Amino acid sequence: MRIHKFGFLGRLYLLAYEVDEGAKLIYIYAVGGHENFYRDLKEYLKT
């Protein structure tokens, strides 16, 4: 899993994604503000 940080309208956002080279797919797991991003992503991945 990779995390990409980017700014938009003066705020910092993060994008959690995974690239499947063999199937040529990108799986997006979460997009959101920096605050509590990793905590929320961890909870999402538990389910």
Side-chain angles (χ1 to χ4, degrees), residues 21 25-26 41 43-44:
E21 299 285 341
L25 295 172
I26 298 174
L41 178 60
E43 287 297 318
Y44 172 76

Side-chain angles (χ1 to χ4, degrees), residues 1-38:
M1 182 175 302
R2 298 177 185 182
I3 305 293
H4 178 74
K5 295 181 181 181
F6 62 97
F8 183 70
L9 298 175
R11 296 196 56 195
L12 179 63
Y13 292 91
L14 288 90
L15 168 69
Y17 67 98
E18 187 174 15
V19 178
D20 183 345
E21 299 285 341
K24 297 183 181 177
L25 295 172
I26 298 174
Y27 299 100
I28 298 175
Y29 294 103
V31 178
H34 188 270
E35 186 175 329
N36 299 320
F37 179 83
Y38 292 102

